[in-house]
Amino acid sequence: MDHADWDALKRAAIEVRANAYAPYSGFTVGAAVQTRSGAVFTGCNVENASYGATICAERGALAAAIAAGERELVALVIASGAKSPTPPCGICRQCLAELAPSLPIRSYTRDAHLEYDLSSLLPEAFGRDQLD
Ligand code: THU
């Protein structure tokens, strides 16, 4: 499937956000990614006492899709409780661009959402082509 099921992605991202482990920042995030098969994979942020070891929700969802053998990403939803919708961080942009440089992304808070295209969030991305 090519089109995203935004409602299902939103529900999944909001649901998994409840599992976030964020004792240091208190900023909980959920993410859900849909793959070509239609399957939805989720992730939440997982913080660590060694702060830099923290894993963002988006990379958790990405890892879950890859672990299931699914690499064709169709769309991603982020859910947070921030005042304004949070865009993915720089590290997550780079990780997502590895498999889907133009991934459509929506980010939701309770009252608002924003839409992005990964290629506009990370133009001129470094990718595998540069390694050849
Ligand atoms: N975080 C995410 O999980 N995704 C984002 O898009 C932004 C930031 C997490 C990392 C950290 O646990 C907390 O939010 C505050 O930065």
Side-chain angles (χ1 to χ4, degrees):
M1 63 181 291
D2 285 338
H3 70 281
D5 185 345
W6 292 109
D7 287 342
L9 284 167
K10 182 184 174 188
R11 274 196 305 276
I14 289 171
E15 189 182 322
V16 72
R17 182 180 160 226
N19 296 333
Y21 176 71
Y24 304 106
S25 71
F27 189 82
T28 57
V29 185
V33 69
Q34 191 159 33
T35 56
R36 180 80 58 210
S37 72
V40 171
F41 299 92
T42 59
C44 57
N45 53 332
V46 181
E47 297 189 346
N48 191 274
S50 176
Y51 299 163
T54 291
I55 302 167
C56 291
E58 296 90 326
R59 273 175 292 143
L62 174 67
I66 292 174
E70 305 240 5
R71 297 181 179 174
E72 287 189 73
L73 312 184
V74 170
L76 176 91
V77 162
I78 302 164
S80 80
K83 243 184 252 159
S84 48
T86 180
C89 83
I91 297 172
C92 290
R93 294 178 197 197
Q94 178 67 26
C95 290
L96 293 165
E98 175 75 19
L99 294 178
S102 301
L103 186 67
I105 297 172
R106 285 190 190 177
S107 181
Y108 287 87
T109 60
R110 209 173 54 183
D111 307 320
H113 80 272
L114 284 177
E115 294 192 31
Y116 315 95
D117 182 290
L118 186 54
S119 60
S120 62
L121 293 177
L122 190 66
E124 306 290 338
F126 179 84
R128 53 190 300 158
D129 290 351
Q130 273 77 44
L131 296 175
D132 293 335

PDB file of all heavy atoms in Angstrom, residues 6-24:
ATOM      1  N   TRP A   6      -3.423   7.442   8.352  1.00  0.00           N
ATOM      2  CA  TRP A   6      -3.006   8.419   9.366  1.00  0.00           C
ATOM      3  C   TRP A   6      -3.736   8.221  10.693  1.00  0.00           C
ATOM      4  O   TRP A   6      -3.151   8.405  11.756  1.00  0.00           O
ATOM      5  CB  TRP A   6      -3.215   9.848   8.850  1.00  0.00           C
ATOM      6  CG  TRP A   6      -2.292  10.216   7.728  1.00  0.00           C
ATOM      7  CD1 TRP A   6      -2.620  10.393   6.420  1.00  0.00           C
ATOM      8  CD2 TRP A   6      -0.870  10.436   7.809  1.00  0.00           C
ATOM      9  NE1 TRP A   6      -1.497  10.710   5.681  1.00  0.00           N
ATOM     10  CE2 TRP A   6      -0.425  10.742   6.497  1.00  0.00           C
ATOM     11  CE3 TRP A   6       0.058  10.386   8.849  1.00  0.00           C
ATOM     12  CZ2 TRP A   6       0.925  11.012   6.225  1.00  0.00           C
ATOM     13  CZ3 TRP A   6       1.401  10.655   8.571  1.00  0.00           C
ATOM     14  CH2 TRP A   6       1.814  10.967   7.274  1.00  0.00           C
ATOM     15  N   ASP A   7      -5.009   7.818  10.627  1.00  0.00           N
ATOM     16  CA  ASP A   7      -5.770   7.626  11.878  1.00  0.00           C
ATOM     17  C   ASP A   7      -5.177   6.487  12.707  1.00  0.00           C
ATOM     18  O   ASP A   7      -5.014   6.605  13.920  1.00  0.00           O
ATOM     19  CB  ASP A   7      -7.246   7.337  11.577  1.00  0.00           C
ATOM     20  CG  ASP A   7      -7.972   8.575  11.107  1.00  0.00           C
ATOM     21  OD1 ASP A   7      -7.446   9.686  11.331  1.00  0.00           O
ATOM     22  OD2 ASP A   7      -9.051   8.431  10.500  1.00  0.00           O
ATOM     23  N   ALA A   8      -4.868   5.380  12.029  1.00  0.00           N
ATOM     24  CA  ALA A   8      -4.292   4.231  12.745  1.00  0.00           C
ATOM     25  C   ALA A   8      -2.918   4.588  13.305  1.00  0.00           C
ATOM     26  O   ALA A   8      -2.569   4.209  14.433  1.00  0.00           O
ATOM     27  CB  ALA A   8      -4.178   3.034  11.800  1.00  0.00           C
ATOM     28  N   LEU A   9      -2.140   5.333  12.527  1.00  0.00           N
ATOM     29  CA  LEU A   9      -0.807   5.733  12.988  1.00  0.00           C
ATOM     30  C   LEU A   9      -0.903   6.655  14.202  1.00  0.00           C
ATOM     31  O   LEU A   9      -0.149   6.518  15.166  1.00  0.00           O
ATOM     32  CB  LEU A   9      -0.043   6.434  11.858  1.00  0.00           C
ATOM     33  CG  LEU A   9       0.503   5.507  10.770  1.00  0.00           C
ATOM     34  CD1 LEU A   9       0.953   6.326   9.562  1.00  0.00           C
ATOM     35  CD2 LEU A   9       1.664   4.675  11.301  1.00  0.00           C
ATOM     36  N   LYS A  10      -1.847   7.581  14.138  1.00  0.00           N
ATOM     37  CA  LYS A  10      -2.026   8.513  15.262  1.00  0.00           C
ATOM     38  C   LYS A  10      -2.413   7.750  16.524  1.00  0.00           C
ATOM     39  O   LYS A  10      -1.846   7.963  17.603  1.00  0.00           O
ATOM     40  CB  LYS A  10      -3.094   9.553  14.906  1.00  0.00           C
ATOM     41  CG  LYS A  10      -3.317  10.584  15.984  1.00  0.00           C
ATOM     42  CD  LYS A  10      -4.459  11.524  15.601  1.00  0.00           C
ATOM     43  CE  LYS A  10      -4.777  12.469  16.754  1.00  0.00           C
ATOM     44  NZ  LYS A  10      -5.983  13.255  16.511  1.00  0.00           N
ATOM     45  N   ARG A  11      -3.380   6.862  16.387  1.00  0.00           N
ATOM     46  CA  ARG A  11      -3.810   6.058  17.551  1.00  0.00           C
ATOM     47  C   ARG A  11      -2.641   5.272  18.137  1.00  0.00           C
ATOM     48  O   ARG A  11      -2.434   5.238  19.353  1.00  0.00           O
ATOM     49  CB  ARG A  11      -4.918   5.070  17.145  1.00  0.00           C
ATOM     50  CG  ARG A  11      -6.322   5.645  17.190  1.00  0.00           C
ATOM     51  CD  ARG A  11      -7.365   4.525  17.165  1.00  0.00           C
ATOM     52  NE  ARG A  11      -7.208   3.620  16.021  1.00  0.00           N
ATOM     53  CZ  ARG A  11      -7.708   3.845  14.810  1.00  0.00           C
ATOM     54  NH1 ARG A  11      -8.420   4.939  14.584  1.00  0.00           N
ATOM     55  NH2 ARG A  11      -7.517   2.990  13.829  1.00  0.00           N
ATOM     56  N   ALA A  12      -1.864   4.639  17.271  1.00  0.00           N
ATOM     57  CA  ALA A  12      -0.753   3.806  17.737  1.00  0.00           C
ATOM     58  C   ALA A  12       0.319   4.652  18.430  1.00  0.00           C
ATOM     59  O   ALA A  12       0.888   4.251  19.453  1.00  0.00           O
ATOM     60  CB  ALA A  12      -0.146   3.041  16.559  1.00  0.00           C
ATOM     61  N   ALA A  13       0.589   5.835  17.881  1.00  0.00           N
ATOM     62  CA  ALA A  13       1.631   6.703  18.472  1.00  0.00           C
ATOM     63  C   ALA A  13       1.192   7.220  19.839  1.00  0.00           C
ATOM     64  O   ALA A  13       1.985   7.277  20.789  1.00  0.00           O
ATOM     65  CB  ALA A  13       1.940   7.862  17.519  1.00  0.00           C
ATOM     66  N   ILE A  14      -0.084   7.578  19.939  1.00  0.00           N
ATOM     67  CA  ILE A  14      -0.604   8.065  21.236  1.00  0.00           C
ATOM     68  C   ILE A  14      -0.580   6.925  22.267  1.00  0.00           C
ATOM     69  O   ILE A  14      -0.180   7.124  23.411  1.00  0.00           O
ATOM     70  CB  ILE A  14      -2.028   8.628  21.055  1.00  0.00           C
ATOM     71  CG1 ILE A  14      -1.959   9.955  20.290  1.00  0.00           C
ATOM     72  CG2 ILE A  14      -2.727   8.819  22.406  1.00  0.00           C
ATOM     73  CD1 ILE A  14      -3.311  10.507  19.861  1.00  0.00           C
ATOM     74  N   GLU A  15      -0.952   5.742  21.821  1.00  0.00           N
ATOM     75  CA  GLU A  15      -1.003   4.606  22.753  1.00  0.00           C
ATOM     76  C   GLU A  15       0.387   4.244  23.268  1.00  0.00           C
ATOM     77  O   GLU A  15       0.594   4.046  24.464  1.00  0.00           O
ATOM     78  CB  GLU A  15      -1.645   3.416  22.035  1.00  0.00           C
ATOM     79  CG  GLU A  15      -1.953   2.257  22.956  1.00  0.00           C
ATOM     80  CD  GLU A  15      -2.547   1.084  22.192  1.00  0.00           C
ATOM     81  OE1 GLU A  15      -3.342   1.321  21.254  1.00  0.00           O
ATOM     82  OE2 GLU A  15      -2.208  -0.060  22.521  1.00  0.00           O
ATOM     83  N   VAL A  16       1.362   4.179  22.371  1.00  0.00           N
ATOM     84  CA  VAL A  16       2.699   3.741  22.801  1.00  0.00           C
ATOM     85  C   VAL A  16       3.403   4.820  23.623  1.00  0.00           C
ATOM     86  O   VAL A  16       4.280   4.521  24.436  1.00  0.00           O
ATOM     87  CB  VAL A  16       3.557   3.300  21.585  1.00  0.00           C
ATOM     88  CG1 VAL A  16       3.992   4.500  20.760  1.00  0.00           C
ATOM     89  CG2 VAL A  16       4.759   2.489  22.058  1.00  0.00           C
ATOM     90  N   ARG A  17       2.998   6.054  23.440  1.00  0.00           N
ATOM     91  CA  ARG A  17       3.600   7.142  24.237  1.00  0.00           C
ATOM     92  C   ARG A  17       3.444   6.868  25.741  1.00  0.00           C
ATOM     93  O   ARG A  17       4.303   7.252  26.548  1.00  0.00           O
ATOM     94  CB  ARG A  17       2.935   8.480  23.866  1.00  0.00           C
ATOM     95  CG  ARG A  17       3.533   9.649  24.620  1.00  0.00           C
ATOM     96  CD  ARG A  17       2.882  10.988  24.259  1.00  0.00           C
ATOM     97  NE  ARG A  17       3.175  11.925  25.323  1.00  0.00           N
ATOM     98  CZ  ARG A  17       2.319  12.734  25.906  1.00  0.00           C
ATOM     99  NH1 ARG A  17       1.056  12.782  25.487  1.00  0.00           N
ATOM    100  NH2 ARG A  17       2.683  13.515  26.894  1.00  0.00           N
ATOM    101  N   ALA A  18       2.380   6.181  26.118  1.00  0.00           N
ATOM    102  CA  ALA A  18       2.142   5.876  27.532  1.00  0.00           C
ATOM    103  C   ALA A  18       3.239   4.987  28.108  1.00  0.00           C
ATOM    104  O   ALA A  18       3.413   4.916  29.323  1.00  0.00           O
ATOM    105  CB  ALA A  18       0.783   5.203  27.689  1.00  0.00           C
ATOM    106  N   ASN A  19       3.993   4.293  27.238  1.00  0.00           N
ATOM    107  CA  ASN A  19       5.057   3.400  27.710  1.00  0.00           C
ATOM    108  C   ASN A  19       6.425   4.076  27.750  1.00  0.00           C
ATOM    109  O   ASN A  19       7.427   3.435  28.106  1.00  0.00           O
ATOM    110  CB  ASN A  19       5.155   2.166  26.805  1.00  0.00           C
ATOM    111  CG  ASN A  19       3.900   1.331  26.860  1.00  0.00           C
ATOM    112  OD1 ASN A  19       3.194   1.349  27.862  1.00  0.00           O
ATOM    113  ND2 ASN A  19       3.610   0.610  25.789  1.00  0.00           N
ATOM    114  N   ALA A  20       6.482   5.338  27.353  1.00  0.00           N
ATOM    115  CA  ALA A  20       7.783   6.025  27.308  1.00  0.00           C
ATOM    116  C   ALA A  20       8.459   5.979  28.675  1.00  0.00           C
ATOM    117  O   ALA A  20       7.806   6.091  29.715  1.00  0.00           O
ATOM    118  CB  ALA A  20       7.590   7.472  26.869  1.00  0.00           C
ATOM    119  N   TYR A  21       9.784   5.825  28.633  1.00  0.00           N
ATOM    120  CA  TYR A  21      10.579   5.844  29.867  1.00  0.00           C
ATOM    121  C   TYR A  21      11.382   7.141  29.843  1.00  0.00           C
ATOM    122  O   TYR A  21      12.410   7.234  29.154  1.00  0.00           O
ATOM    123  CB  TYR A  21      11.494   4.618  29.914  1.00  0.00           C
ATOM    124  CG  TYR A  21      12.409   4.605  31.111  1.00  0.00           C
ATOM    125  CD1 TYR A  21      11.907   4.380  32.395  1.00  0.00           C
ATOM    126  CD2 TYR A  21      13.776   4.822  30.958  1.00  0.00           C
ATOM    127  CE1 TYR A  21      12.746   4.381  33.501  1.00  0.00           C
ATOM    128  CE2 TYR A  21      14.621   4.820  32.061  1.00  0.00           C
ATOM    129  CZ  TYR A  21      14.101   4.594  33.327  1.00  0.00           C
ATOM    130  OH  TYR A  21      14.929   4.589  34.423  1.00  0.00           O
ATOM    131  N   ALA A  22      10.867   8.155  30.517  1.00  0.00           N
ATOM    132  CA  ALA A  22      11.483   9.482  30.445  1.00  0.00           C
ATOM    133  C   ALA A  22      11.571  10.119  31.835  1.00  0.00           C
ATOM    134  O   ALA A  22      11.028  11.204  32.061  1.00  0.00           O
ATOM    135  CB  ALA A  22      10.694  10.365  29.473  1.00  0.00           C
ATOM    136  N   PRO A  23      12.264   9.445  32.784  1.00  0.00           N
ATOM    137  CA  PRO A  23      12.319   9.975  34.156  1.00  0.00           C
ATOM    138  C   PRO A  23      13.159  11.233  34.268  1.00  0.00           C
ATOM    139  O   PRO A  23      13.040  11.959  35.261  1.00  0.00           O
ATOM    140  CB  PRO A  23      12.950   8.817  34.945  1.00  0.00           C
ATOM    141  CG  PRO A  23      13.776   8.081  33.946  1.00  0.00           C
ATOM    142  CD  PRO A  23      13.023   8.193  32.647  1.00  0.00           C
ATOM    143  N   TYR A  24      14.018  11.521  33.304  1.00  0.00           N
ATOM    144  CA  TYR A  24      14.924  12.675  33.409  1.00  0.00           C
ATOM    145  C   TYR A  24      14.319  13.929  32.803  1.00  0.00           C
ATOM    146  O   TYR A  24      14.324  14.990  33.412  1.00  0.00           O
ATOM    147  CB  TYR A  24      16.279  12.315  32.774  1.00  0.00           C
ATOM    148  CG  TYR A  24      16.843  11.076  33.430  1.00  0.00           C
ATOM    149  CD1 TYR A  24      16.838   9.850  32.772  1.00  0.00           C
ATOM    150  CD2 TYR A  24      17.289  11.115  34.748  1.00  0.00           C
ATOM    151  CE1 TYR A  24      17.288   8.699  33.398  1.00  0.00           C
ATOM    152  CE2 TYR A  24      17.742   9.970  35.392  1.00  0.00           C
ATOM    153  CZ  TYR A  24      17.736   8.762  34.718  1.00  0.00           C
ATOM    154  OH  TYR A  24      18.164   7.617  35.352  1.00  0.00           O
TER     155      TYR A  24
END
